[in-house]
Amino acid sequence: MFEQIFVENITEIFLLAVGASFIQRTTGFGFGIFIMTLLPFLMPSYGEATALSGLLAFTTSLIASIKYRRFITWRRLIPILSIFLITSTIAISVLSKMENGTIRFILGFILIFVSIWFAFLNKRIRFGTTLPYQLGAGSVSGLMGGFFGMHGPPAVLYFISCEKDKEHYMGMIQTYAVITNVTMLIVRFYNGYVTPVVWTSYLYGLAGLVIGILAGNWAYNRIPNRLFTYFVYGYIGISGLIIFLTA
């Protein structure tokens, strides 16, 4: 089984890593949404697929968070991270007991709706930087990350509304992604999802990350600030459509 997985699926894992890292580097999120459309079919279990997605996403975000570290405001980051730790741990712990088809269907619909709503009303909608907003975004992000390996959208909507430009947004969301992925990886390791198959797949995926990050960096630098929010909202909508159709 182990040899068969990598003889047949090494190219698919590599290409998925290229596409997912390109999206993550360009928009600040979306790695898990993109890669988890196909990765569960290439790995021995759904839990191992989320573990591999988390490892690769962590590596992609770490590189970007180092680059944008001077744009990080820790007092706005720590509360949302704290509640994420609690909700994602609970979600991962009950993952094996969960029927996710119906929930993915609902999740896809919600993301499509939210992307359209924010795209047309983003000038009037502003999330505050107060504790209730931070706890709400962190809670939903933790549940989505634990269950689906895609915790970006709630945090994206919060940070892109609060931060003054795309550099501050990128610094905050990538640092958030680094810390949250580390948290979920520890819990997944404890639950037995980080297996030798996952580590071997990760090594193959690293080559794809290099290509995707370089291409994403080129694209990111050419998106004007005034269009960046619409670009992000658009990908949230596409993400919802992908989840909706693959539920």
Side-chain angles (χ1 to χ4, degrees):
M1 172 65 74
F2 181 84
E3 292 181 355
Q4 182 181 4
I5 289 172
F6 295 109
V7 170
E8 295 179 353
N9 298 337
I10 180 175
T11 302
E12 287 91 336
I13 291 172
F14 170 81
L15 292 175
L16 284 173
V18 172
S21 57
F22 171 80
I23 290 167
Q24 178 82 15
R25 179 60 190 90
T26 306
T27 66
F29 81 109
F31 193 102
I33 295 170
F34 180 88
I35 204 168
M36 287 298 288
T37 57
L38 292 176
L39 196 58
F41 301 104
L42 305 178
M43 298 296 288
S45 70
Y46 185 85
E48 286 168 291
T50 60
L52 176 58
S53 172
L55 272 170
L56 292 169
F58 160 77
T59 306
T60 304
S61 296
L62 179 62
I63 295 170
S65 67
I66 292 172
K67 180 176 181 178
Y68 295 100
R69 62 189 181 278
R70 64 191 180 92
F71 298 105
I72 300 168
T73 306
W74 287 102
R75 61 183 170 78
R76 290 206 296 272
L77 198 55
I78 290 174
I80 190 172
L81 285 169
S82 300
I83 193 65
F84 175 91
L85 174 62
I86 298 171
T87 56
S88 64
T89 300
I90 295 171
I92 293 171
S93 298
V94 302
L95 178 62
S96 60
K97 305 178 183 66
M98 178 183 149
E99 293 286 337
N100 77 74
T102 301
I103 296 179
R104 284 177 62 88
F105 184 87
I106 296 171
L107 176 63
F109 176 80
I110 291 173
L111 290 180
I112 294 171
F113 173 78
V114 166
S115 69
I116 296 173
W117 187 41
F118 272 79
F120 285 100
L121 299 177
N122 73 91
K123 298 297 184 185
R124 298 183 223 171
I125 300 172
R126 303 295 295 180
F127 284 122
T129 56
T130 56
L131 190 60
Y133 287 104
Q134 294 166 338
L135 295 182
S139 297
V140 178
S141 180
L143 292 174
M144 287 181 59
F147 285 137
F148 308 114
M150 47 186 79
H151 59 291
V156 165
L157 292 173
Y158 172 74
F159 287 126
I160 204 166
S161 177
C162 295
E163 301 305 321
K164 61 183 180 180
D165 55 39
K166 68 177 186 177
E167 285 75 23
H168 283 82
Y169 159 78
M170 192 62 72
M172 294 289 278
I173 194 65
Q174 294 297 346
T175 304
Y176 177 79
V178 168
I179 299 173
T180 53
N181 274 308
V182 167
T183 300
M184 290 190 292
L185 282 169
I186 292 171
V187 179
R188 287 182 178 122
F189 183 84
Y190 177 80
N191 284 274
Y193 294 132
V194 184
T195 63
V197 173
V198 170
W199 284 114
T200 306
S201 300
Y202 172 70
L203 294 177
Y204 286 121
L206 282 177
L209 293 189
V210 174
I211 298 173
I213 290 171
L214 290 174
N217 187 63
W218 180 89
Y220 170 84
N221 289 332
R222 283 157 179 77
I223 301 174
N225 259 312
R226 60 188 175 81
L227 298 179
F228 185 74
T229 54
Y230 294 100
F231 192 83
V232 172
Y233 294 145
Y235 187 67
I236 291 178
I238 293 171
S239 302
L241 184 61
I242 291 172
I243 296 169
F244 186 84
L245 295 176
T246 58

